[in-house]
Amino acid sequence: MVEDSSNEVPEDLQSAEDWLIHAQELVPLALSKAREVKGFPRRWKIVISKLEQIPSCLSDLSSHPCFTKNALCREQLQAVSETLRESFELAELCLKEKYEGKLRMQSDLDSLAGKLDLNLRDCGLLIKTGVLGEATVAPSMPGTSTESEALSCSNIRELLARLQIGHLEAKHKALDNLVEILREDEKNVLATLARSNIAAIVQLLTATSPRIREKTVTVICSLAESGSCENWLVAEGVLPPLIRLLESGSAVGKEKAAISLQSLSMSAETARAIIGHGGVRPLIEICRAGDSVSQAAAASTLKSISAVPDVRQTLAEEGIVKVLIDLLDRGILLGSKEYAAECLQNLTVSNENLRRSAVSEGGVRSLLTYLDGPLPQESAVGALRNLVGSISAETLISLGFLPRMAHVLKSGSPGAQQAAASAICRACRSAEMKKLVGEAGCIPLLVKLLDAKSNSGREVAAQAISSLMTVSQNCREVKRDEKSVPGLVQLLDPGPQNTAKKYAVSCLTSLSSSKKCKKLMISYGAIGYLKKLNEMDVPGAKKLLDRLEKGKLRSMFSRK
């Protein structure tokens, strides 16, 4: 009988065409049997409505020109055929009333409706993804790299399609394969990705299976770190599930989610979105108690968020200042400490309340201790520069501020040296403090900084020296340094890019009481510079010019 044969799969089914014919034979049988059933009318009505959509779905699939050349078509037809056989069998059980209870049958029929939904959806997606149209590799010479790359891209497209098609276990297997391919051939994967693929991957972050969520976030982490699809990831809603993983994921899930957010948080818009989705508190918690890699990634994300001025108060309200200072003291990785220092620098750049909070939580002591390493970081010096105005000179001295600044000026990067010179300027609010800065050995280091590559570095060095020279013993030390006059004269350059002119004039004026220094200034061309500065009305330029010109005249008369 036909009915009996419908439950059997012919052994010779191999090609997509064979499976298509088999599925087309099963549709009328399944529909006919379903329409005979009298029990469970509401559920069978739903099943019948879905069965009726199968023929057009099969027609769309089979009419594609590349229908026979893709394994996904055959697999999809196998899945459809399996669902049709199940429908036929359930209908027979209902007709013969040989089922194990009504509740069990209701559950089976609901499951059948879900499978039919999945079949219909997957057939549609199979065509929409474009994977069928890309099944045929572009013509090329056999064995060439072009052919190899084309085959690789075709395989990747098929794999990406599998993330959208089929049941959860099939997607799980596809994820495993994608993780492996990303390790071996990330370039081609990234070149092949479409936005619909990103959407499918992001959806898997909310799967009920912890294993699938963990593997999905591993893929998303690779994509985020690649820097090629951040906008798509954010647009497809990746932030909320990543933040949930931070809160309740496995150790691996938390780490990958933190690294993903670190990569995505570079833009101000995404940084605000992370706050809007409640991401600050779990990030702070990771900084407080996470493993080393997660902690560093979370600190980096908070650093990026803190770079957006209008969200800093929100960060402060979540208790970030104390956590950052704890990270400086006890961070597992040096990267965690660096990010914490940079975040503190951002938070305290213009907010006096946050400065006071950082000082009261012991931030100055922690930052100074962090600077004791062989390569003091610019971010920590920058944070200190922001804080020195909110703490007394006595406290700064007792905490060892001056030897640390000398250490930075000697061993730090150009950016750190510039920040140290700026911090010294802000700290020198009294003659006593200026005297102590000179005694700490900072003046020769600041003179050396007059030759910095950056204009801002030269400017802040000249500004610091100008301030320190108001103390006589510091002035004498600058006179003794043979590099001071040449370095300062070059900063008389009237060009618009030179912003250190007024400080150089101030310093040289203080040195002009020395005949030796005046001679040096003249020999290095100071008069020519000063004439131009005088025309530009730079403060003090005329006074210094007059002194040098008088000195030059006296020198000429004395030679006669």
Side-chain angles (χ1 to χ4, degrees), residues 14 96 158 160 177 263 266 297 360 373 437 449 467 496 532:
Q14 293 182 355
K96 297 174 181 178
E158 182 178 310
L160 292 169
N177 292 334
S263 300
M266 301 299 181
S360 66
V437 169
L449 193 58
S467 173
K532 292 179 181 178

Side-chain angles (χ1 to χ4, degrees), residues 34 87 137 143 203 302 314 317-318 328 331 388 433 502:
S87 175
V137 179
Q203 285 174 9
L302 289 168
T314 303
E317 290 166 2
E318 293 288 351
L328 277 173
V388 292
M433 188 65 164
K502 66 177 181 179

Side-chain angles (χ1 to χ4, degrees), residues 72 121 125-126 128-131 134 153-165 171 175 178 188-205 216 219-220 223 229 232-233 236 238:
L72 282 170
R121 171 186 166 278
L125 281 172
L126 198 55
K128 288 178 184 176
T129 55
V131 69
E134 293 149 353
C153 289
S154 179
N155 292 335
I156 290 167
R157 288 187 186 96
E158 182 178 310
L159 179 59
L160 292 169
R162 291 181 185 278
L163 293 175
Q164 303 176 66
I165 292 168
K171 292 175 181 177
L175 269 176
L178 183 57
N188 273 331
V189 173
L190 295 173
T192 308
L193 276 171
R195 181 163 176 172
S196 60
N197 304 133
I198 298 290
I201 294 169
V202 170
Q203 285 174 9
L204 291 175
L205 270 182
T216 302
V219 170
I220 285 173
L223 298 180
C229 48
W232 279 353
L233 284 165
E236 291 300 334
V238 78

Side-chain angles (χ1 to χ4, degrees), residues 427-465:
C428 288
R429 302 186 293 269
S430 67
E432 181 61 27
M433 188 65 164
K434 293 175 184 179
K435 179 183 174 186
L436 291 171
V437 169
E439 292 172 353
C442 292
I443 288 175
L445 300 170
L446 288 168
V447 169
K448 188 177 179 182
L449 193 58
L450 291 173
D451 200 32
K453 289 184 178 180
S454 73
N455 176 62
S456 54
R458 296 190 294 270
E459 178 186 8
V460 75
Q463 182 183 3
I465 294 170

